[in-house]
Amino acid sequence: MIKKHANNTKIIAFVILAVVFVVAFASLFLEVSGNSVSYEIFEVPGWEMNDDDSASGSYTYSTYLGNYQYIPGLALSFHLKLCRVHVYIDDVLVYSFGDGMSENELYHSSAQHLIDLAGYKKGDLVTIEIEPINERLYSGFPDVYMGNHQDLVLYYIKEAKFQIYMGIFLLFFGGTIFMLLPLHNISSSEPSGLIYPSLISITMGLYLLSYGNFIYLITQDAWFNNAVCHISGYLIPVLITVFFRYEFNSFRKLFNILVIINIVVVAVSIVLALFDLVPHSIIQYVIHVLCVVDFPVISFTLVIALRKGKFERNLASALSGGAVLAGVVFFCLCATFHLIRIELVQTGAISNSCDYGIIAMDFGCLAFVSSMLVHYLFNSISVFDDDQERLALMRTAYYDALTGIANRAFCEVRLGEISGTGEFMRIIFMDLDNLKQINDSLGHAGGDRLLKGFATAMKEHFKDAKLIGRMGGDEFIVVLKEEPDEDFLKLMKGFDEKLVKMSQADEELDYMVSAGWAKSSEVESFDGREVLRISDERMYEEKQRHKAHGPVPGLGGAV
């Protein structure tokens, strides 16, 4: 029952958690969707490129300001990464970015440029000078927008609202699961299977938020935003391989190799990036190749596991394996598409006007985290089924089939456990005086009814007992916490009265009992077996007295 309660509690907790996050998602979506900009946002047209500058490795684009003076807090904004940028108004420098930065430093800088243009008027010449740090990584002139400064920030948030929501959802979902780990470990003797899913969810959430510059918009710290983006991106394949290393023992050697390779590559990459020993573009390329190799290997391994029936222990196990396979394959496809697109954009092979790669990554991350949660829940059901089988075997071994109370084997084990705690206890040893006569007169069916009725009476009356058991035949024991003699005798008198009433209510059965008891304070040690021996002797003396004077219903005047 304890195992069942623990598993039910976990399932209920996850259902409540899912409802909470659905409500949170709906609220966030409506909040972001409901906010509208105060002023119109314009895409600035008419940019002309100065061809004379391309030979020097820089690109210059110019246009004239339109009539935007009615917009307070006027600002210009565009998204461009891995470039030094200068913005001029009528040949006066108003914005500079990247001067003196190395290639690696620019890798860790924001791609979102927001330039205040308050005070400038219609007809002023705006010039944007772009100097890529690496021609191979230049993706072309970006879309440029103009509007109110605050509106532009809100515009970019709304443009990426699904990615931002997904990042926030994964971050808080993983964080909540992580905070539930202590509760899970208390209710289960096995290590929690939730720690890696929670860490993966948190890492994916941080990656999505930082990739979309949301962390930069919140903190205004470009270095921190991009450090989070790269570190979380590096850790995702490491955590995924570690997760499968611990979840699927059949392929542990293979996953051991993958884990070691991933940890070594990521650790070396972080060291090289921190000390500017290698261009970050090369490091990023190596990490991308590692991921593209990892994902098919993991997917192929899971397919083999399913084909070999590694998940066919029961239906829940099979569903668990299928959910993980579906989630992993979908995530691998989405992540591979995202990584390949990053490389193609940086080489200028395709435009970055609409990042379908990160949209695919959003759905891939959600699918993967969902599959891990489904895997955990179905695995919990599978483990619960196994626990139920073990519980059934334990009941066969340790419980009396007729009465449903503990048998002699369990009583001996439990007495040893109670003795080890050093608690004071009192043991009652009882014997049904007339079981043989009932068997002779009413048959074994009558005797069984007498035994079951007496066991039920004990369970109903001694509700605070540490142990109620049948030692065999017509002998029973009750182990109680040692209380003052007056309270104990009152309890036994109540039991005597209960047996007398049961005898009066049944025309065929009389519950005639001999009882003896002893307490641990009567012996030098807390040995429960010694206390049981004394109570057994006293019960035998009471039985002899009943034989001499004739048995009567109840405890026969023992109290």
Side-chain angles (χ1 to χ4, degrees), residues 189-360:
S189 60
E190 299 179 357
S192 175
L194 288 175
I195 184 167
Y196 294 111
S198 65
L199 292 177
I200 292 172
S201 182
I202 291 171
T203 307
M204 288 178 171
L206 290 173
Y207 177 76
L208 294 178
L209 290 174
S210 55
Y211 187 87
N213 286 312
F214 182 73
I215 293 178
Y216 168 70
L217 293 173
I218 299 299
T219 64
Q220 291 298 304
D221 189 332
W223 184 91
F224 178 71
N225 179 87
N226 287 275
V228 171
C229 183
H230 290 118
I231 292 174
S232 59
Y234 293 169
L235 289 178
I236 288 173
V238 174
L239 291 173
I240 289 175
T241 52
V242 172
F243 167 73
F244 285 106
R245 154 70 173 75
Y246 282 98
E247 284 295 311
F248 301 100
N249 295 328
S250 302
F251 300 94
R252 181 158 288 189
K253 291 182 180 179
L254 172 62
F255 285 119
N256 279 340
I257 296 172
L258 284 179
V259 168
I260 293 171
I261 292 174
N262 277 270
I263 290 176
V264 170
V265 171
V266 168
V268 171
S269 299
I270 291 175
V271 171
L272 292 176
L274 287 175
F275 292 98
D276 282 343
L277 299 176
V278 175
H280 198 93
S281 57
I282 297 177
I283 296 174
Q284 178 177 278
Y285 182 76
V286 171
I287 295 294
H288 289 177
V289 171
L290 179 65
C291 294
V292 172
V293 171
D294 277 347
F295 297 153
V297 171
I298 293 173
S299 302
F300 185 67
T301 303
L302 288 177
V303 171
I304 294 175
L306 281 172
R307 287 180 62 86
K308 290 186 176 181
K310 299 295 183 181
F311 298 98
E312 292 181 358
R313 182 176 56 191
N314 51 40
L315 177 60
S317 180
L319 290 173
S320 167
V324 173
L325 178 61
V328 168
V329 170
F330 186 71
F331 171 75
C332 291
L333 292 173
C334 294
T336 301
F337 173 66
H338 171 59
L339 297 178
I340 292 175
R341 193 178 187 284
I342 289 176
E343 295 296 327
L344 293 176
V345 167
Q346 291 184 349
T347 57
I350 60 175
S351 170
N352 194 33
S353 58
C354 185
D355 194 346
Y356 295 106
I358 194 62
I359 296 174

Side-chain angles (χ1 to χ4, degrees), residues 429-431 514-516 535-543:
F429 203 114
M430 291 182 280
D431 180 279
S514 296
S535 62
D536 184 18
E537 290 177 354
R538 292 174 180 173
M539 182 278 294
Y540 182 75
E541 292 172 0
E542 183 68 14
K543 192 176 186 69

Side-chain angles (χ1 to χ4, degrees), residues 375-423:
H375 163 69
Y376 172 76
L377 292 176
F378 278 120
N379 192 52
S380 295
I381 295 172
S382 178
V383 171
F384 174 66
D385 290 341
D386 292 343
D387 288 341
Q388 289 295 94
E389 292 179 9
R390 286 194 291 269
L391 182 60
L393 292 174
M394 187 180 74
R395 292 194 66 86
T396 302
Y398 286 126
Y399 286 85
D400 181 61
L402 177 64
T403 61
I405 60 177
N407 61 14
R408 185 184 190 93
F410 185 79
C411 288
E412 292 175 349
V413 171
R414 187 74 180 109
L415 279 173
E417 293 174 350
I418 296 173
S419 300
T421 64
E423 293 183 52

Side-chain angles (χ1 to χ4, degrees), residues 117-159:
L117 296 181
Y120 295 99
K121 60 186 183 300
K122 178 181 179 181
D124 288 345
L125 180 66
V126 181
T127 302
I128 299 177
E129 184 182 71
I130 300 170
E131 182 186 345
I133 60 173
N134 188 322
E135 285 290 334
R136 184 182 69 85
L137 304 179
Y138 180 53
S139 57
F141 188 68
D143 295 328
V144 181
Y145 296 92
M146 186 170 289
N148 174 267
H149 185 287
Q150 185 175 354
D151 287 349
L152 286 170
V153 173
L154 182 60
Y155 172 76
Y156 284 114
I157 291 177
K158 288 185 67 176
E159 285 293 298

Side-chain angles (χ1 to χ4, degrees), residues 497-524:
E497 292 172 353
K498 183 179 185 69
L499 295 177
V500 171
K501 289 180 181 179
M502 289 173 62
S503 300
Q504 292 172 348
D506 196 312
E507 296 180 355
E508 296 181 324
L509 301 180
D510 284 324
Y511 293 89
M512 302 177 181
V513 180
S514 296
W517 49 82
K519 50 188 178 181
S520 53
S521 57
E522 297 181 55
V523 299
E524 295 182 359

